[in-house]
Amino acid sequence: MSDVSGDVRLRTDDLEPSYDIDVDMTTTLGKLEIPDPVFTASGCAAAGRELAPFNDLRALGGVVTKSILLGPRAGRATPRMAETPSGMLNSIGLQGPGIDAFLDRDLRWLEDNGVRAVVSIAGTSVDDYSKLASKLRGQPVTMVEVNISCPNVEDRGQVFACERNAAAAVVQAVRRNAPSQVPVFVKLSPDVTDIVDIARACVDNGADGLSLVNTTLGIVIDPDTMRPVLAGVTGGLSGPAIRPLALRCVWQVHQALPEVPLMGIGGIRTGLDALEFILAGASAVQVGTVIFNDPSAPARISRELRAALAQRRIARLRDVVGLAHRPPELSIPEEPDPPGDEELVAEVAPHRSAVSFEEDV
Ligand code: FUM
């Protein structure tokens, strides 16, 4: 699947820091301080085990597990994946072993290996979500991600993320039943007219943060069979093809709700892609589709992001969250000077960095 992650991968060697800056990659997600902003995205590596040979999972922000339902589920009929230009379409249909088996086997493995677990839950009713959230009490869970945006459900009415009251009801139920100290993030769909409206409904009803975005609904037709390629006909489009769409969602939600922590998701395959999401307002990113092409991508992207920040003389990741929203007249120089006595950008407050930088150089 060469095309899935794009063919121009930025090599780590190209981004070796040329400035002697020890970048602090710590990020804040709700009440949590996380040492690294790169997470694996739900659905691209089950519960993370397969990625362990390729990444130090403990060093990543965390592993977002494949969305889990109350009971086991076989998912949709095959074929359920198709390659597309710069992306792929999936219609897995929330296949999984059910919450009890997941807790016994997968969550235990993550705990035993010291990996921060972000447990993604999905259901077909508000009651499903309540029960799933209750099941997480007393479990080694770092965060909960509430997946209300899977496009591969039988009934579009079950895409709770497409309607503000439905989204609000699920979030309320999860927040009431989930362990109180565990941040609840809600994963939204880009397939809405006004994502800020849905984001606001989630936050007003107890979401601690938002994951932006899930896949967007697509279709591929085989010109030989003259039929849809996927047995389920439609599927969720992911990969670099949707990056500008996902970035736009992060931008809009950060602009409207700047205090709300966001995880950016959508076609991230390099450290510079991740940096775009951070600059748009994400405090962390999730890496998904690229893993099919490069299973070591999460660790590589983290290294590349660190190097990209060092090259820009940014000492703390958190200082550039949302920095692209500053007025254009406060631009930083395109080519930073070589290291010298200048103050680091990151020694001033976020969103004011550019001002001081300009004044200082
Ligand atoms: O079909 C699936 O299992 C996909 C889930 C999702 O995109 O949330």
Side-chain angles (χ1 to χ4, degrees):
M1 305 222 302
S2 58
D3 208 24
V4 164
S5 65
D7 55 356
V8 192
R9 187 179 326 146
L10 210 52
R11 289 168 48 83
T12 310
D13 309 350
D14 299 337
L15 279 176
E16 280 307 322
S18 47
Y19 300 99
D20 187 18
I21 290 178
D22 186 16
V23 180
D24 177 1
M25 298 286 275
T26 310
T27 193
T28 309
L29 294 170
K31 296 173 210 143
L32 298 181
E33 285 238 310
I34 304 276
D36 192 277
V38 179
F39 292 67
T40 65
S42 176
C44 299
R49 238 181 252 232
E50 303 92 319
L51 296 184
F54 307 98
N55 300 269
D56 177 2
L57 296 179
R58 298 163 71 116
L60 292 179
V63 166
V64 186
T65 57
K66 168 73 182 161
S67 299
I68 197 76
L69 286 88
L70 275 176
R73 181 153 152 147
R76 279 182 161 178
T78 57
R80 50 192 194 178
M81 287 173 89
E83 194 167 343
T84 65
S86 289
M88 63 179 245
L89 214 55
N90 90 80
S91 73
I92 306 302
L94 296 168
Q95 178 185 349
I99 186 75
D100 292 328
F102 167 81
L103 295 177
D104 285 349
R105 197 184 54 199
D106 299 318
L107 194 58
R108 207 61 56 225
W109 184 88
L110 291 167
E111 181 186 29
D112 290 347
N113 287 277
V115 183
R116 278 173 287 273
V118 181
V119 177
S120 171
I121 57 174
T124 57
S125 67
V126 173
D127 191 49
D128 280 2
Y129 284 96
S130 297
K131 290 183 174 134
L132 285 159
S134 304
K135 289 265 188 188
L136 298 180
R137 292 197 196 142
Q139 297 290 342
V141 175
T142 301
M143 290 167 58
V144 181
E145 184 173 86
V146 189
N147 183 0
I148 56 172
S149 48
C150 173
N152 301 324
V153 288
E154 285 85 18
D155 171 4
R156 288 297 289 169
Q158 285 173 1
V159 186
F160 299 95
C162 290
E163 204 279 312
R164 70 178 337 272
N165 294 328
V170 172
V171 177
Q172 257 183 33
V174 172
R175 190 57 287 178
R176 221 179 3 248
N177 291 287
S180 57
Q181 78 286 2
V182 173
V184 169
F185 273 57
V186 184
K187 189 167 184 179
L188 299 188
S189 170
D191 294 345
V192 291
T193 308
D194 182 0
I195 195 160
V196 171
D197 183 48
I198 308 289
R200 221 186 279 280
C202 293
V203 171
D204 289 348
N205 285 278
D208 299 294
L210 302 164
S211 300
L212 304 174
V213 286
N214 209 322
T215 56
T216 181
L217 197 65
I219 188 166
V220 174
I221 293 179
D222 182 332
D224 292 324
T225 64
M226 302 194 189
R227 289 277 310 143
V229 169
L230 298 175
V233 180
T234 57
L237 180 64
S238 62
I242 71 159
R243 193 185 318 126
L245 170 73
L247 198 60
R248 180 268 297 172
C249 292
V250 169
W251 175 277
Q252 287 181 321
V253 173
H254 180 76
Q255 191 156 52
L257 306 168
E259 305 308 323
V260 176
L262 307 177
M263 305 254 263
I265 320 159
I268 295 170
R269 64 190 166 91
T270 69
L272 291 183
D273 297 341
L275 181 58
E276 282 195 62
F277 278 83
I278 303 289
L279 293 169
S283 296
V285 295
Q286 296 180 15
V287 172
T289 303
V290 67
I291 288 173
F292 291 97
N293 173 259
D294 174 12
S296 64
R300 172 180 57 76
I301 289 169
S302 172
R303 282 195 307 276
E304 289 175 357
L305 177 58
R306 181 189 292 272
L309 292 170
Q311 282 183 331
R312 288 157 181 75
R313 290 185 288 155
I314 310 286
R316 299 191 314 184
L317 171 107
R318 60 173 62 144
D319 289 339
V320 294
V321 172
L323 191 65
H325 289 260
R326 73 194 183 284
E329 64 273 19
L330 301 184
S331 297
I332 56 173
E334 276 176 23
E335 290 188 22
D337 295 336
D341 297 335
E342 308 91 335
E343 276 184 37
L344 296 181
V345 173
E347 285 175 4
V348 293
H351 300 274
R352 299 208 40 232
S353 309
V355 187
S356 300
F357 193 76
E358 272 222 317
E359 286 167 352
D360 291 341
V361 290

